Amino acid sequence: GGEVIGLPAALLAARLPGAADKPIPPLLPPGAHDARAFGALCHRCYACVNACPTGILRASFHPERPLSGWFQPEMNPEFGACEEFCSLCSQVCPTGAIMKLSMETKRNRQIGVAEVRCDACLAWHDGEYCMVCDEYCPYGAIDTSFSEEGLARPIVDPERCRGCGFCQHYCPARRAGKAIVVRGIASQKSLAAT
């Protein structure tokens, strides 16, 4: 009989104050409203997921989130990156959950911010040369910090990072997971043009 209350109890516990750290907003497609409005407007038709040429946009399930956030389309850089010159998801959304964006607006839209996980990074933790994240970043958002020995190590400039996921997708670190991860932000915003 305990199995019947197991999942509901776990879901309730995930919502109790102090049960978890402050939740990180989902990484939503460029042009999406904030998470609450997006969850309410999105009909889960997955037109955006089907239109995405790289596979970064997919249906996701996070039981710790409110019901309105279940099975919504989200960006997952493990599967792809958001192309700089693509706004297909914003063009095909039939409900307005993703606002139509011009290419220039989309290119300068911040949907998230990358974060270096130094304990997993080949350069920061292992003392190896690796700046793959910088090589793939289309926005020049990866700056360099140098160790005492002169080894380049990545740091993220949040004023240039769009949250596109190229850095995370191509990061070669595996020992402790990806060394750079993109986190969603509460409200998307426009950044200065690059």
Side-chain angles (χ1 to χ4, degrees):
E3 305 83 31
V4 175
I5 63 165
L7 181 60
L11 293 173
L12 177 62
R15 290 188 174 82
L16 293 175
D21 293 336
K22 185 178 177 187
I24 295 169
L27 186 62
L28 298 176
H33 294 274
D34 65 45
R36 187 169 174 214
F38 181 76
L41 290 168
C42 176
H43 288 182
R44 301 345 187 237
C45 71
Y46 305 119
C48 57
V49 172
N50 293 328
C52 182
T54 69
I56 186 175
L57 192 52
R58 27 190 75 227
S60 63
F61 177 61
H62 298 279
E64 74 280 3
R65 291 192 186 148
L67 189 60
S68 65
W70 287 14
F71 302 109
Q72 71 185 11
E74 287 183 38
M75 311 293 261
N76 185 336
E78 293 297 315
F79 297 99
C82 187
E83 291 287 345
E84 182 179 4
F85 295 99
C86 176
S87 64
L88 287 173
C89 60
S90 84
Q91 304 307 315
V92 301
C93 180
T95 67
I98 306 172
M99 297 172 280
K100 289 188 179 356
L101 300 179
S102 71
M103 193 60 66
E104 194 59 24
T105 301
K106 185 271 179 183
R107 286 186 66 239
N108 295 308
R109 184 82 164 200
Q110 186 178 56
I111 63 172
V113 178
E115 174 184 300
V116 176
R117 296 179 56 241
C118 295
D119 61 327
C121 183
L122 298 173
W124 280 95
H125 186 271
D126 300 336
E128 297 178 24
Y129 177 80
C130 180
M131 290 294 288
V132 169
C133 50
D134 181 45
E135 293 168 24
Y136 279 96
C137 180
Y139 300 101
I142 306 296
D143 285 332
T144 306
S145 167
F146 291 95
S147 68
E148 290 177 13
E149 298 79 29
L151 181 70
R153 302 174 301 190
I155 52 175
V156 176
D157 180 346
E159 296 304 313
R160 289 186 305 207
C161 179
R162 306 307 200 260
C164 68
F166 273 95
C167 57
Q168 181 176 338
H169 184 67
Y170 289 103
C171 175
R174 297 286 181 267
R175 174 185 40 78
K178 295 284 186 160
I180 190 164
V181 293
V182 180
R183 309 279 188 211
I185 55 176
S187 252
Q188 295 181 6
K189 62 183 181 180
S190 292
L191 298 180
T194 53

